[in-house]
mmCIF file of all heavy atoms in Angstrom:
data_model
loop_
_atom_site.group_PDB
_atom_site.id
_atom_site.type_symbol
_atom_site.label_atom_id
_atom_site.label_comp_id
_atom_site.label_asym_id
_atom_site.label_seq_id
_atom_site.Cartn_x
_atom_site.Cartn_y
_atom_site.Cartn_z
ATOM 1 N N ARG A 181 -12.854 7.776 6.238
ATOM 2 C CA ARG A 181 -14.302 7.822 6.008
ATOM 3 C C ARG A 181 -14.617 8.521 4.686
ATOM 4 O O ARG A 181 -15.033 9.677 4.658
ATOM 5 C CB ARG A 181 -14.998 8.574 7.149
ATOM 6 C CG ARG A 181 -14.863 7.937 8.504
ATOM 7 C CD ARG A 181 -16.026 7.010 8.777
ATOM 8 N NE ARG A 181 -15.805 6.158 9.922
ATOM 9 C CZ ARG A 181 -16.066 6.486 11.171
ATOM 10 N NH1 ARG A 181 -16.544 7.658 11.459
ATOM 11 N NH2 ARG A 181 -15.839 5.614 12.132
ATOM 12 N N PRO A 182 -14.415 7.836 3.566
ATOM 13 C CA PRO A 182 -14.733 8.467 2.280
ATOM 14 C C PRO A 182 -16.228 8.746 2.176
ATOM 15 O O PRO A 182 -17.040 7.990 2.701
ATOM 16 C CB PRO A 182 -14.283 7.443 1.238
ATOM 17 C CG PRO A 182 -14.228 6.145 1.954
ATOM 18 C CD PRO A 182 -13.965 6.447 3.403
ATOM 19 N N LEU A 183 -16.556 9.834 1.521
ATOM 20 C CA LEU A 183 -17.957 10.195 1.315
ATOM 21 C C LEU A 183 -18.434 9.642 -0.012
ATOM 22 O O LEU A 183 -17.770 9.786 -1.024
ATOM 23 C CB LEU A 183 -18.119 11.719 1.304
ATOM 24 C CG LEU A 183 -17.933 12.398 2.649
ATOM 25 C CD1 LEU A 183 -17.914 13.906 2.472
ATOM 26 C CD2 LEU A 183 -19.033 11.992 3.606
ATOM 27 N N GLY A 184 -19.594 9.046 0.011
ATOM 28 C CA GLY A 184 -20.190 8.570 -1.230
ATOM 29 C C GLY A 184 -20.947 9.678 -1.922
ATOM 30 O O GLY A 184 -20.687 10.020 -3.063
ATOM 31 N N ASP A 185 -21.856 10.320 -1.188
ATOM 32 C CA ASP A 185 -22.702 11.352 -1.776
ATOM 33 C C ASP A 185 -22.366 12.686 -1.128
ATOM 34 O O ASP A 185 -23.070 13.167 -0.258
ATOM 35 C CB ASP A 185 -24.180 10.992 -1.559
ATOM 36 C CG ASP A 185 -25.112 11.866 -2.368
ATOM 37 O OD1 ASP A 185 -24.611 12.716 -3.130
ATOM 38 O OD2 ASP A 185 -26.330 11.702 -2.225
ATOM 39 N N ARG A 186 -21.273 13.283 -1.542
ATOM 40 C CA ARG A 186 -20.774 14.493 -0.902
ATOM 41 C C ARG A 186 -21.714 15.684 -1.040
ATOM 42 O O ARG A 186 -21.705 16.579 -0.221
ATOM 43 C CB ARG A 186 -19.407 14.842 -1.455
ATOM 44 C CG ARG A 186 -19.447 15.243 -2.923
ATOM 45 C CD ARG A 186 -18.063 15.641 -3.409
ATOM 46 N NE ARG A 186 -18.177 16.246 -4.703
ATOM 47 C CZ ARG A 186 -17.928 15.648 -5.834
ATOM 48 N NH1 ARG A 186 -17.545 14.392 -5.835
ATOM 49 N NH2 ARG A 186 -18.061 16.282 -6.972
ATOM 50 N N GLU A 187 -22.558 15.696 -2.083
ATOM 51 C CA GLU A 187 -23.429 16.842 -2.312
ATOM 52 C C GLU A 187 -24.422 17.051 -1.174
ATOM 53 O O GLU A 187 -24.932 18.140 -0.988
ATOM 54 C CB GLU A 187 -24.184 16.709 -3.640
ATOM 55 C CG GLU A 187 -23.312 16.892 -4.869
ATOM 56 C CD GLU A 187 -22.488 15.646 -5.221
ATOM 57 O OE1 GLU A 187 -22.721 14.569 -4.638
ATOM 58 O OE2 GLU A 187 -21.586 15.782 -6.060
ATOM 59 N N LYS A 188 -24.685 16.000 -0.403
ATOM 60 C CA LYS A 188 -25.613 16.152 0.718
ATOM 61 C C LYS A 188 -25.025 17.040 1.808
ATOM 62 O O LYS A 188 -25.745 17.631 2.584
ATOM 63 C CB LYS A 188 -25.967 14.787 1.295
ATOM 64 C CG LYS A 188 -26.866 13.979 0.394
ATOM 65 C CD LYS A 188 -27.231 12.668 1.027
ATOM 66 C CE LYS A 188 -28.147 11.883 0.092
ATOM 67 N NZ LYS A 188 -28.465 10.571 0.638
ATOM 68 N N LEU A 189 -23.710 17.076 1.908
ATOM 69 C CA LEU A 189 -23.072 17.858 2.955
ATOM 70 C C LEU A 189 -22.555 19.208 2.481
ATOM 71 O O LEU A 189 -22.385 20.115 3.272
ATOM 72 C CB LEU A 189 -21.886 17.068 3.541
ATOM 73 C CG LEU A 189 -22.258 15.799 4.275
ATOM 74 C CD1 LEU A 189 -21.015 15.042 4.683
ATOM 75 C CD2 LEU A 189 -23.079 16.142 5.509
ATOM 76 N N TYR A 190 -22.300 19.335 1.213
ATOM 77 C CA TYR A 190 -21.679 20.550 0.692
ATOM 78 C C TYR A 190 -22.243 20.782 -0.700
ATOM 79 O O TYR A 190 -22.267 19.848 -1.505
ATOM 80 C CB TYR A 190 -20.153 20.335 0.621
ATOM 81 C CG TYR A 190 -19.329 21.568 0.810
ATOM 82 C CD1 TYR A 190 -19.016 22.019 2.081
ATOM 83 C CD2 TYR A 190 -18.845 22.282 -0.281
ATOM 84 C CE1 TYR A 190 -18.229 23.132 2.270
ATOM 85 C CE2 TYR A 190 -18.060 23.405 -0.102
ATOM 86 C CZ TYR A 190 -17.757 23.828 1.176
ATOM 87 O OH TYR A 190 -16.974 24.938 1.358
ATOM 88 N N PRO A 191 -22.705 21.976 -1.036
ATOM 89 C CA PRO A 191 -23.313 22.211 -2.357
ATOM 90 C C PRO A 191 -22.367 21.845 -3.509
ATOM 91 O O PRO A 191 -21.203 22.232 -3.516
ATOM 92 C CB PRO A 191 -23.608 23.705 -2.350
ATOM 93 C CG PRO A 191 -23.670 24.084 -0.904
ATOM 94 C CD PRO A 191 -22.707 23.161 -0.196
ATOM 95 N N ALA A 192 -22.893 21.089 -4.483
ATOM 96 C CA ALA A 192 -22.081 20.584 -5.596
ATOM 97 C C ALA A 192 -21.414 21.704 -6.380
ATOM 98 O O ALA A 192 -20.250 21.588 -6.755
ATOM 99 C CB ALA A 192 -22.936 19.731 -6.526
ATOM 100 N N ASP A 193 -22.138 22.810 -6.632
ATOM 101 C CA ASP A 193 -21.533 23.889 -7.415
ATOM 102 C C ASP A 193 -20.357 24.522 -6.674
ATOM 103 O O ASP A 193 -19.352 24.870 -7.276
ATOM 104 C CB ASP A 193 -22.574 24.943 -7.819
ATOM 105 C CG ASP A 193 -23.306 25.545 -6.636
ATOM 106 O OD1 ASP A 193 -23.322 24.932 -5.552
ATOM 107 O OD2 ASP A 193 -23.868 26.643 -6.809
ATOM 108 N N GLU A 194 -20.453 24.619 -5.346
ATOM 109 C CA GLU A 194 -19.328 25.165 -4.578
ATOM 110 C C GLU A 194 -18.133 24.229 -4.626
ATOM 111 O O GLU A 194 -16.994 24.670 -4.751
ATOM 112 C CB GLU A 194 -19.733 25.415 -3.130
ATOM 113 C CG GLU A 194 -20.646 26.611 -2.954
ATOM 114 C CD GLU A 194 -20.962 26.861 -1.488
ATOM 115 O OE1 GLU A 194 -20.051 26.731 -0.647
ATOM 116 O OE2 GLU A 194 -22.122 27.186 -1.201
ATOM 117 N N LEU A 195 -18.374 22.913 -4.514
ATOM 118 C CA LEU A 195 -17.274 21.954 -4.596
ATOM 119 C C LEU A 195 -16.615 21.993 -5.966
ATOM 120 O O LEU A 195 -15.397 21.959 -6.076
ATOM 121 C CB LEU A 195 -17.765 20.536 -4.310
ATOM 122 C CG LEU A 195 -18.061 20.202 -2.862
ATOM 123 C CD1 LEU A 195 -18.623 18.799 -2.760
ATOM 124 C CD2 LEU A 195 -16.835 20.337 -2.007
ATOM 125 N N ASN A 196 -17.426 22.057 -7.012
ATOM 126 C CA ASN A 196 -16.868 22.100 -8.366
ATOM 127 C C ASN A 196 -16.040 23.360 -8.581
ATOM 128 O O ASN A 196 -14.974 23.311 -9.191
ATOM 129 C CB ASN A 196 -17.980 22.002 -9.409
ATOM 130 C CG ASN A 196 -18.606 20.619 -9.441
ATOM 131 O OD1 ASN A 196 -17.969 19.645 -9.058
ATOM 132 N ND2 ASN A 196 -19.855 20.541 -9.862
ATOM 133 N N ASN A 197 -16.518 24.494 -8.078
ATOM 134 C CA ASN A 197 -15.744 25.732 -8.192
ATOM 135 C C ASN A 197 -14.440 25.631 -7.424
ATOM 136 O O ASN A 197 -13.390 26.069 -7.892
ATOM 137 C CB ASN A 197 -16.547 26.932 -7.678
ATOM 138 C CG ASN A 197 -17.682 27.315 -8.598
ATOM 139 O OD1 ASN A 197 -17.662 26.986 -9.788
ATOM 140 N ND2 ASN A 197 -18.674 27.989 -8.056
ATOM 141 N N LEU A 198 -14.516 25.051 -6.237
ATOM 142 C CA LEU A 198 -13.336 24.935 -5.399
ATOM 143 C C LEU A 198 -12.304 23.991 -5.997
ATOM 144 O O LEU A 198 -11.127 24.294 -6.075
ATOM 145 C CB LEU A 198 -13.746 24.446 -4.009
ATOM 146 C CG LEU A 198 -12.631 24.283 -3.000
ATOM 147 C CD1 LEU A 198 -12.031 25.634 -2.663
ATOM 148 C CD2 LEU A 198 -13.146 23.612 -1.760
ATOM 149 N N THR A 199 -12.758 22.820 -6.417
ATOM 150 C CA THR A 199 -11.817 21.813 -6.897
ATOM 151 C C THR A 199 -11.394 22.049 -8.340
ATOM 152 O O THR A 199 -10.345 21.586 -8.751
ATOM 153 C CB THR A 199 -12.403 20.400 -6.773
ATOM 154 O OG1 THR A 199 -13.577 20.309 -7.577
ATOM 155 C CG2 THR A 199 -12.735 20.082 -5.326
ATOM 156 N N ASN A 200 -12.208 22.748 -9.110
ATOM 157 C CA ASN A 200 -11.849 23.134 -10.470
ATOM 158 C C ASN A 200 -11.256 21.974 -11.276
ATOM 159 O O ASN A 200 -10.191 22.075 -11.858
ATOM 160 C CB ASN A 200 -10.883 24.326 -10.441
ATOM 161 C CG ASN A 200 -10.762 25.003 -11.792
ATOM 162 O OD1 ASN A 200 -11.650 24.884 -12.636
ATOM 163 N ND2 ASN A 200 -9.674 25.713 -11.987
ATOM 164 N N GLY A 201 -11.941 20.845 -11.261
ATOM 165 C CA GLY A 201 -11.497 19.700 -12.057
ATOM 166 C C GLY A 201 -10.471 18.805 -11.390
ATOM 167 O O GLY A 201 -10.030 17.829 -11.971
ATOM 168 N N LEU A 202 -10.064 19.116 -10.158
ATOM 169 C CA LEU A 202 -9.037 18.306 -9.497
ATOM 170 C C LEU A 202 -9.482 16.875 -9.249
ATOM 171 O O LEU A 202 -8.685 15.961 -9.290
ATOM 172 C CB LEU A 202 -8.636 18.938 -8.156
ATOM 173 C CG LEU A 202 -7.703 20.132 -8.234
ATOM 174 C CD1 LEU A 202 -7.591 20.785 -6.873
ATOM 175 C CD2 LEU A 202 -6.340 19.726 -8.743
ATOM 176 N N GLU A 203 -10.777 16.682 -8.992
ATOM 177 C CA GLU A 203 -11.239 15.327 -8.666
ATOM 178 C C GLU A 203 -10.985 14.371 -9.817
ATOM 179 O O GLU A 203 -10.511 13.261 -9.623
ATOM 180 C CB GLU A 203 -12.719 15.332 -8.287
ATOM 181 C CG GLU A 203 -13.170 13.979 -7.798
ATOM 182 C CD GLU A 203 -14.495 14.021 -7.080
ATOM 183 O OE1 GLU A 203 -15.275 14.953 -7.279
ATOM 184 O OE2 GLU A 203 -14.741 13.093 -6.306
ATOM 185 N N ALA A 204 -11.274 14.807 -11.029
ATOM 186 C CA ALA A 204 -11.033 13.944 -12.184
ATOM 187 C C ALA A 204 -9.548 13.637 -12.325
ATOM 188 O O ALA A 204 -9.150 12.505 -12.606
ATOM 189 C CB ALA A 204 -11.564 14.603 -13.453
ATOM 190 N N GLU A 205 -8.713 14.654 -12.079
ATOM 191 C CA GLU A 205 -7.266 14.457 -12.202
ATOM 192 C C GLU A 205 -6.728 13.510 -11.135
ATOM 193 O O GLU A 205 -5.753 12.817 -11.335
ATOM 194 C CB GLU A 205 -6.542 15.802 -12.065
ATOM 195 C CG GLU A 205 -6.789 16.748 -13.216
ATOM 196 C CD GLU A 205 -6.181 18.111 -12.960
ATOM 197 O OE1 GLU A 205 -5.288 18.220 -12.097
ATOM 198 O OE2 GLU A 205 -6.599 19.060 -13.627
ATOM 199 N N GLN A 206 -7.366 13.493 -9.973
ATOM 200 C CA GLN A 206 -6.877 12.691 -8.853
ATOM 201 C C GLN A 206 -7.560 11.330 -8.772
ATOM 202 O O GLN A 206 -7.351 10.587 -7.833
ATOM 203 C CB GLN A 206 -7.096 13.456 -7.541
ATOM 204 C CG GLN A 206 -6.188 14.646 -7.396
ATOM 205 C CD GLN A 206 -4.768 14.225 -7.101
ATOM 206 O OE1 GLN A 206 -4.462 13.676 -6.056
ATOM 207 N NE2 GLN A 206 -3.873 14.465 -8.027
#
Side-chain angles (χ1 to χ4, degrees):
R181 297 268 167 86
L183 289 172
D185 191 2
R186 66 177 191 259
E187 288 79 10
K188 288 182 180 177
L189 294 174
Y190 210 84
D193 57 340
E194 287 183 40
L195 285 176
N196 290 335
N197 289 338
L198 181 66
T199 61
N200 195 22
L202 282 170
E203 187 165 22
E205 292 174 19
Q206 290 287 294

